[in-house]
């Protein structure tokens, strides 16, 4: 069975950095697109990922809100997707979810992991 496990969240001051990990099991990374979704306090989970990556062709997309600060990457040897978050802002505070799609685009998400909490203090 496919399982996604997000980890690496925590409390950080504004301007700081965190690296999140999404470790996948039961799938080949090359066959999937992975995305990081956010659910801010008091809000619904975003319908569009903050960033996503198609592992095989390394196509990457970022929302404008995180572009230049966040970097998504893949490590097939570790079956892991990373999210390096720099220059964090209080508005980045959210529960971060890893999701996987069988398709090539950032749509039709088939698998979801449990979230990891990121809190950015001012």
């Amino acid at each position: 069975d496919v399982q996604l496990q997000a980890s690496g969240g925590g409390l950080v001051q504004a301007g700081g950095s965190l690296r999140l990990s999404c470790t996948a099991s039961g799938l080949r990374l090359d066959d999937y697109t992975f995305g990081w979704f956010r659910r801010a306090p008091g809000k619904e989970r975003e319908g569009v990922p903050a960033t996503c990556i198609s592992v095989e062709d390394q196509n990457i997309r970022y929302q404008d809100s995180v572009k230049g600060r966040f970097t998504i990457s893949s490590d097939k040897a570790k079956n892991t997707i990373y999210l390096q978050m720099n220059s964090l802002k209080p508005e980045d505070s959210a529960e971060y979810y890893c999701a996987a799609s069988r398709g090539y685009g950032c749509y039709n998400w088939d698998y979801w992991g449990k979230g990891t909490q990121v809190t950015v203090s001012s």
Side-chain angles (χ1 to χ4, degrees), residues 19-20 29 34 36 51 53 55 58 60 62 71-75 80-84:
R19 187 176 75 163
L20 306 184
L29 259 59
F34 293 86
W36 286 99
T51 178
I53 180 171
V55 175
Q58 291 290 292
I60 294 172
Y62 296 99
T71 302
I72 190 170
S73 61
S74 58
D75 186 336
T80 297
I81 306 297
Y82 297 103
L83 181 63
Q84 179 67 46

Side-chain angles (χ1 to χ4, degrees), residues 16-38:
S17 299
L18 285 173
R19 187 176 75 163
L20 306 184
S21 299
C22 173
T23 299
S25 61
L27 58 78
R28 292 176 64 248
L29 259 59
D30 275 343
D31 295 333
Y32 289 84
T33 296
F34 293 86
W36 286 99
F37 289 79
R38 306 195 292 184

Side-chain angles (χ1 to χ4, degrees), residues 41-107:
K43 298 182 179 180
E44 296 295 316
R45 186 182 65 211
E46 294 175 330
V48 177
T51 178
C52 58
I53 180 171
S54 296
V55 175
E56 184 177 18
D57 58 15
Q58 291 290 292
N59 281 343
I60 294 172
R61 297 177 179 178
Y62 296 99
Q63 288 189 29
D64 288 342
S65 60
V66 306
K67 189 175 296 183
R69 300 186 299 118
F70 289 13
T71 302
I72 190 170
S73 61
S74 58
D75 186 336
K76 289 189 285 187
K78 296 182 178 180
N79 236 50
T80 297
I81 306 297
Y82 297 103
L83 181 63
Q84 179 67 46
M85 305 185 295
N86 299 326
S87 302
L88 282 162
K89 305 174 181 179
E91 52 262 46
D92 294 319
S93 295
E95 189 162 11
Y96 283 68
Y97 296 85
C98 178
S101 170
R102 297 188 187 99
Y104 291 100
C106 301
Y107 320 101

